[in-house]
Amino acid sequence: MKYKNLGKSKIKISSIGLGTNFVANIQKDEKKLMYLMQKALDKSINFFDTAEVYHNGYSEILVGKAFKRMRDKVVIATKFSSEHSSYKDVLKTAEGSLKRLQTDYIDLYQIHWPNPIVPIEETLKALEKLIKAGKIRHIGVCNFSQRLLKDIQKASTLPIVSLEIEYNLLERTIEYDLLPYCEKNKITTIAYTPLNSGTILKTEKYSKIFLNLSKKYDRTASQIILNFLISHPSVVAIPATTNIIHLEGNAKSTEFVLEKSDIDLLAKTFTSKVINIDTGKIRVVSITDHAAYKTVEEALSNKLNFFPSPAMLSKDIQKGDFLKPVRIRTVQKKDRIFEYELINGRIRYWAWVIAFNGKKPIPAIVED
Ligand SMILES: NC(=O)c1ccc[n+]([C@@H]2O[C@H](COP(=O)([O-])OP(=O)(O)OC[C@H]3O[C@@H](n4cnc5c(N)ncnc54)[C@H](OP(=O)(O)O)[C@@H]3O)[C@@H](O)[C@H]2O)c1
């Protein structure tokens, strides 16, 4: 296993961590998952990512149970939800996480999503109080644009040690600005959804390149992908798995070095073309178990209580923040209005529509 410093701190974290928003019935599978997490530590994974919101707090409970007797061996990262960003709520939420994690301190406390309403200074005041009290060791952020990252750095008296953000072969937007910024400023980039939730491994059109590289390095496709991501000096990846064989394989992803020509080959093969598409041509449907608004009126009324709401997010978009393009696919049976269907980015889509009154084409990647 290779380790990297967490930001400018002295804490060493494994380049491959474990995401604990498991796709599983975690209460039912508790024993198996506890065993899996302990196995991860056996395999030298010491970095565990959770959040108050994962499985309604149960992910934190599980991490707490798994490591309460070996607390000093692991680095625990958790997050408070964006709606808990006020001074009082941050302090209260941290107490809840500490209790569920059965620990006196959280190594890395992260803001799960930016909050467009609560001033960042207020949130930081609470985080600074938690640091002084020894309840958290370091502050990190998730899903922040470069502008917001710079803002929080300017406002904070303490270093922001990490940015957790989506980064995988099919979502490489951060390579344009955030990744170089993090590398330059020694901020650890924690790559979430590094394996595209597993789908990239099952997609026929990518099988050839993975097969060739797998043969050349005698490694699995997942190991090739994870190695590509962590080949960037500031990046660590946190794949989630409920499968011991996958876990062991992921842990070994740091044991080889991809040649520069193969890194370039992967980068070239997985370049996603971003095109600007008229928002009116995109149909919004509910994606698997994710509910979505179908009209701008629904998005504006935000009955599903998304936070930040599309209207709130639209304000940041007007200031130039757009974390990543939405993902769409061509509608199979074309009708007269819609040419595409949205597959990822249901809040960002409506935020964009609201920000520009539906008049500005949206950056999108077509996945066909
Ligand atoms: N901060 C944020 O806003 C945010 C957002 C999303 C996610 N996250 C964090 O990132 C973690 C990971 O993200 P994710 O779960 O979305 O995506 P992911 O790690 O890309 O994908 C997880 C899926 O990949 C499969 N998988 C893992 N290793 C594999 C292997 N070696 N071979 C084949 N399949 C493999 C898993 O199935 P098996 O169980 O069968 O292995 C699982 O279905 C989360 O648990 C969470 O901690 C953070």
Side-chain angles (χ1 to χ4, degrees), residues 206-225 256-259 262 265-266:
Y206 305 130
S207 57
K208 195 162 163 235
I209 180 167
F210 289 138
L211 202 66
N212 290 343
L213 291 173
S214 292
K215 259 195 209 152
K216 177 170 172 182
Y217 290 93
D218 194 18
R219 300 285 167 178
T220 64
S222 320
Q223 290 171 332
I224 302 280
I225 298 169
F256 66 108
V257 179
L258 279 173
E259 285 168 20
D262 291 325
L265 176 72
L266 282 163

Side-chain angles (χ1 to χ4, degrees), residues 8-228:
K8 287 181 188 157
S9 82
K10 291 200 174 80
I11 297 184
K12 296 264 182 210
I13 57 172
S14 47
S15 299
I16 300 297
L18 181 69
T20 65
N21 195 12
F22 299 113
V23 184
N25 179 338
I26 73 171
Q27 264 159 300
K28 199 172 128 242
D29 294 338
E30 178 173 320
K31 267 202 183 129
K32 178 186 157 190
L33 294 172
M34 293 255 295
Y35 175 74
L36 180 125
M37 286 195 280
Q38 286 160 355
K39 193 84 188 165
L41 186 57
D42 282 352
K43 297 286 158 196
S44 306
I45 291 177
N46 75 344
F47 184 53
F48 296 85
D49 180 73
T50 180
E52 60 155 324
V53 74
Y54 294 168
H55 296 267
N56 286 323
Y58 210 81
S59 161
E60 289 185 328
I61 291 177
L62 213 59
V63 173
K65 274 191 192 172
F67 300 121
K68 70 175 171 190
R69 288 198 183 80
M70 30 196 153
R71 179 64 187 91
D72 59 330
K73 303 272 181 298
V74 293
V75 178
I76 297 177
T78 191
K79 321 178 184 86
F80 59 93
S81 302
S82 176
E83 55 267 48
H84 296 152
S85 296
S86 72
Y87 180 78
K88 253 171 76 187
D89 281 354
V90 173
L91 297 181
K92 191 170 154 215
T93 307
E95 292 303 332
S97 288
L98 286 165
K99 200 165 164 205
R100 285 188 292 278
L101 288 163
Q102 299 191 54
T103 183
D104 301 332
Y105 64 94
I106 292 161
D107 298 284
L108 176 64
Y109 203 31
Q110 306 166 98
I111 305 178
H112 206 149
W113 282 90
N115 182 313
I117 298 169
V118 178
I120 199 66
E121 290 77 9
E122 178 178 337
T123 308
L124 279 168
K125 220 170 123 196
L127 291 170
E128 283 161 10
K129 182 167 174 162
L130 288 168
I131 293 229
K132 272 194 198 128
K135 294 186 176 182
I136 64 171
R137 291 203 159 157
H138 295 284
I139 305 169
V141 296
C142 310
N143 304 303
F144 271 41
S145 66
Q146 196 185 21
R147 181 182 69 85
L148 292 175
L149 184 53
K150 282 182 179 167
D151 281 356
I152 189 171
Q153 281 182 299
K154 227 185 270 164
S156 178
T157 57
L158 298 160
I160 305 301
V161 295
S162 60
L163 166 72
E164 185 167 312
I165 195 132
E166 183 175 356
Y167 183 42
N168 53 54
L169 281 180
L170 297 176
E171 180 42 73
R172 294 173 43 221
T173 311
I174 65 162
E175 288 178 9
Y176 295 110
D177 59 355
L178 275 166
L179 186 51
Y181 183 79
C182 287
E183 310 240 295
K184 196 168 157 221
N185 290 279
K186 293 206 164 32
I187 296 171
T188 299
T189 310
I190 305 171
Y192 76 66
T193 319
L195 296 170
N196 295 88
S197 310
T199 54
I200 194 169
L201 303 165
K202 297 174 195 143
T203 308
E204 179 90 34
K205 68 176 168 183
Y206 305 130
S207 57
K208 195 162 163 235
I209 180 167
F210 289 138
L211 202 66
N212 290 343
L213 291 173
S214 292
K215 259 195 209 152
K216 177 170 172 182
Y217 290 93
D218 194 18
R219 300 285 167 178
T220 64
S222 320
Q223 290 171 332
I224 302 280
I225 298 169
L226 294 172
N227 192 287
F228 171 90

